[in-house]
Amino acid sequence: MAFKGVGRAVAKGVPFTFTWARDGATTDVTVGTDDNRAMGFDYTHEVPSTDHRDGNSTVFAVSFDEPVHQITIRIVPVGDASTNTAAQARLHGCVPDVGTYVTLAAGPAFFNGTWLYKGGGSVSYSPDGVTEVSMTLFRHGFDVESATSFATVQDL
C-alpha cells in the first residue's frame, strides 16, 4: 500500500492472533485464534536505571535493572466457527487467569510466543458498540524473544 504519493509501503492493521484460557467456576473458556479479532497492539520496552553521583552531584556511573517488555492488546471477541452466535462471542469476552500465558502468533517473530498476564485486564460492554477486551502482558529479561518462564524458579 502506498502512503499518499510517497511510493513506499507502510504497515497497516494488527497482524496478530491471540489465544488464552480461563478456568471458570462453572464454565472453563478457551479463547482460540478464531474467537477474537485484534484491534490494537502497543509495545513498550522499559529499562529502569539508577544514576550514581559523587559529592558534586556529577553522575559518574549508571546501573541498569532488568528490562521489561510490555504489550497492551485490544481484541473484539467473536463467535467460533461451529457456534457463530452473539452468545458464543460473549463467552469469549474474558481475560485469562492471573499468572498464565497468552500466546501471540502470526506477527513479527520477536513478538510471537508466550507472554505473561499479571492481571489488570478489562472487558468493556456497551449498548451500541462491540465488546472489547484489553489486557497488558509482560516478558522480563534482556531478550524480547525469550519468553518469561518461572518454572525453573518454582522447581527449586
Side-chain angles (χ1 to χ4, degrees):
M1 155 177 226
F3 183 68
K4 295 285 184 186
V6 174
R8 301 279 180 138
V10 296
K12 182 179 180 184
V14 183
F16 294 98
T17 60
F18 306 103
T19 59
W20 68 88
R22 167 113 187 144
D23 292 331
T26 56
T27 305
D28 293 342
V29 177
T30 299
V31 180
T33 57
D34 291 336
D35 301 332
N36 64 81
R37 296 294 176 261
M39 301 302 291
F41 179 95
D42 300 310
Y43 169 71
T44 305
H45 177 220
E46 294 185 15
V47 183
S49 64
T50 303
D51 293 343
H52 301 279
R53 299 177 181 273
D54 61 16
N56 296 324
S57 292
T58 303
V59 175
F60 65 89
V62 177
S63 60
F64 296 95
D65 292 338
E66 181 180 68
V68 176
H69 304 275
Q70 174 180 320
I71 58 173
T72 300
I73 62 173
R74 292 182 316 280
I75 63 103
V76 171
V78 297
D80 61 26
S82 61
T83 313
N84 189 18
T85 64
Q88 183 67 29
R90 277 192 291 279
L91 286 176
H92 297 149
C94 64
V95 294
D97 293 316
V98 172
T100 60
Y101 293 97
V102 173
T103 302
L104 275 66
F110 50 88
F111 289 126
N112 289 341
T114 55
W115 289 73
L116 181 63
Y117 176 69
K118 295 181 180 181
S122 66
V123 180
S124 174
Y125 295 97
S126 69
D128 56 353
V130 297
T131 300
E132 190 171 286
V133 177
S134 177
M135 66 184 87
T136 301
L137 308 169
F138 298 88
R139 278 187 179 165
H140 297 270
F142 290 94
D143 186 1
V144 70
E145 295 182 52
S146 297
T148 299
S149 174
F150 297 111
T152 54
V153 175
Q154 293 169 352
D155 291 340
L156 294 178

